[in-house]
Amino acid sequence: MSERPDALRPAPEGYADWLAELKNRIHGAQQRATLAVNRELVLLYWQIGRDILARQAQQGWGAKVIERLAHDLRTAFPQMKGFSPRNLKYMRAFAEAWPDESFVQEVLAQLPWYHQLALLDKLPDPKTRHWYAAKAIEHNWSRNVLVMQIETRLRERTGTAVTNFDLSLPKLQSDLARESIKDPYRFDFLGLTDEAQERDIETALVQHVTDFLLELGAGFAFVGQQVLLDVGGDEFFIDLLFYHLKLRCYVVIEIKGGKFKPEHLGQLGFYLTAVDAQVKHPQDGPTIGLLLCKSKNKVVAEYALRDNARPLGIAEYKLLASLPEPLQTSLPSIEQIERELEGKQET
């Protein structure tokens, strides 16, 4: 009877842990190699773009030189992609947009080339472009997520909610908490109309929790929906409970279907007290409350928060996208995307 192949014999003690460690090393090496290749490619493209700019300025070469350069480079390097006239023009625009080579080397080279094109195409302002580039690096956004964040104007919505964090939290935590809150929140991915009720919105957010977490931003972890709190024998239910990994605290989110009213904060503050007493770990920070309403009077919201000792924020939500008409017609609906995914799963 033949012996069993070595691969089918029981692994020796400790082999599984060693194999897992080797896999992690290999994955790490693959990632570093990919990043290194990308870095060199981005720097190469920037240098080509810089040279095109310089020669056109100094020697008066016209736009046709790009057509000729594209032909000659593709002839010399037939296996390499990226030397089309269109991409060479992007290289020129890239170098023109980012003239500081050290910044390109130290910061921008961390982003893939197609991220760079998205920044160039959609953001004419250097300061705004810089902000989105930094966020893409910090949160490891894919190109599609980067484009989505740009198109939904993330920068304009970040840190703009009405809060009392500066009065109720320590300075460092206050700044981070304020930057973690947006206004307004965009829930157009739910496919609901403005007539949707609070519970409908809440249920839809849980059903689309991946999109919801993306809209909330980095650091939020979903804990539960309609979380039960037993206070003196009476039962209360939190709409949505999250934990923020950077702030190290729980975040209670309550949804109101109409206009903000000061009395809404009484209920939310009660929930924060209960979470701090029953759920929070001693090492966690103070629980934060976020009230999402369809609309608010900013002055009324500021007055309602002024003397409240609990860390609270008030922001609006938008169920319908306010996108330009041409863009609206080009975007697939949630139903179309889901049908497409179901079709792929069946094949």
Side-chain angles (χ1 to χ4, degrees):
M1 187 175 181
S2 61
E3 295 184 1
R4 298 174 65 190
D6 290 342
L8 299 179
R9 292 177 180 174
E13 184 178 354
Y15 177 82
D17 292 338
W18 178 54
L19 178 61
E21 181 185 346
L22 288 179
K23 289 180 179 179
N24 288 334
R25 286 186 200 171
I26 293 169
H27 287 314
Q30 289 175 328
Q31 291 174 350
R32 289 191 296 274
T34 300
L35 290 173
V37 170
N38 174 76
R39 176 184 176 83
E40 292 301 320
L41 185 65
V42 169
L43 290 175
L44 172 64
Y45 285 176
W46 183 87
Q47 291 163 357
I48 292 174
R50 178 196 57 186
D51 288 354
I52 293 173
L53 279 173
R55 292 179 184 276
Q56 285 185 326
Q58 295 169 7
Q59 302 181 29
W61 291 353
K64 289 187 177 180
V65 72
I66 291 181
E67 301 284 343
R68 178 166 185 169
L69 181 62
H71 174 270
D72 291 341
L73 288 177
R74 284 187 291 189
T75 300
F77 303 98
Q79 303 303 319
M80 286 187 68
K81 297 181 180 179
F83 291 138
S84 66
R86 184 169 181 267
N87 210 37
L88 288 174
K89 291 176 183 177
Y90 270 123
M91 295 176 202
R92 181 181 60 185
F94 181 52
E96 188 174 29
W98 306 102
D100 185 352
E101 183 174 6
S102 62
F103 179 76
V104 175
Q105 289 178 330
E106 296 168 11
V107 180
L108 285 184
Q110 299 177 60
L111 291 174
W113 178 241
Y114 287 104
H115 285 59
Q116 315 287 357
L117 301 190
L119 293 170
L120 290 173
D121 280 339
K122 296 183 175 295
L123 299 169
D125 174 47
K127 186 176 181 180
T128 305
R129 198 184 296 130
H130 187 290
W131 189 89
Y132 280 101
K135 290 296 181 182
I137 293 169
E138 178 185 357
H139 302 305
N140 195 29
W141 288 342
S142 68
R143 182 185 181 278
N144 287 341
V145 170
L146 171 62
V147 170
M148 184 272 290
Q149 301 289 21
I150 293 172
E151 291 180 345
T152 59
R153 300 181 179 179
L154 175 65
R155 183 170 184 260
E156 297 172 28
R157 298 185 291 126
T158 297
T160 57
V162 180
T163 74
N164 65 349
F165 295 156
D166 57 334
L167 301 175
S168 57
L169 295 172
K171 173 64 176 172
L172 291 178
Q173 192 175 21
S174 168
D175 291 344
L176 180 56
R178 186 172 59 254
E179 289 302 307
S180 299
I181 304 298
K182 304 172 187 174
D183 189 24
Y185 284 86
R186 298 176 60 100
F187 295 160
D188 43 291
F189 57 84
L190 299 180
L192 299 177
T193 67
D194 280 335
E195 287 70 37
Q197 300 299 308
E198 296 167 9
R199 185 57 63 86
D200 297 330
I201 298 170
E202 174 193 324
T203 301
L205 287 173
V206 174
Q207 291 173 346
H208 296 83
V209 68
T210 300
D211 295 308
F212 186 28
L213 287 171
L214 183 60
E215 174 61 9
L216 285 175
F220 282 89
F222 180 59
V223 177
Q225 172 193 17
Q226 289 296 305
V227 177
L228 170 65
L229 295 173
D230 187 317
V231 180
D234 289 345
E235 293 185 345
F236 301 88
F237 296 88
I238 295 173
D239 285 352
L240 297 165
L241 184 62
F242 291 82
Y243 189 85
H244 199 285
L245 301 175
K246 292 185 178 180
L247 290 167
R248 298 291 179 184
C249 70
Y250 284 96
V251 180
V252 175
I253 296 181
E254 285 291 300
I255 301 172
K256 297 299 178 183
K259 188 175 182 178
F260 166 73
K261 297 179 181 179
E263 53 263 35
H264 293 156
L265 295 183
Q267 179 189 34
L268 183 55
F270 172 77
Y271 289 159
L272 299 192
T273 300
V275 171
D276 279 346
Q278 299 182 11
V279 182
K280 179 176 94 69
H281 188 276
Q283 294 181 349
D284 288 335
T287 302
I288 291 174
L290 175 59
L291 185 73
L292 298 181
C293 50
K294 186 176 293 185
S295 64
K296 69 178 184 301
N297 182 312
K298 186 176 181 181
V299 177
V300 172
E302 290 173 346
Y303 271 54
L305 289 174
R306 183 169 294 179
D307 296 322
N308 200 311
R310 289 285 180 182
L312 297 165
I314 304 167
E316 297 179 359
Y317 63 83
K318 302 296 182 186
L319 290 174
L320 300 177
S322 55
L323 297 174
E325 189 63 29
L327 186 57
Q328 283 186 332
T329 57
S330 66
L331 291 174
S333 67
I334 295 294
E335 291 76 13
Q336 288 173 323
I337 294 173
E338 290 176 345
R339 284 198 299 269
E340 182 179 344
L341 291 175
E342 289 173 358
K344 290 182 178 178
Q345 292 173 352
E346 293 173 358
T347 57

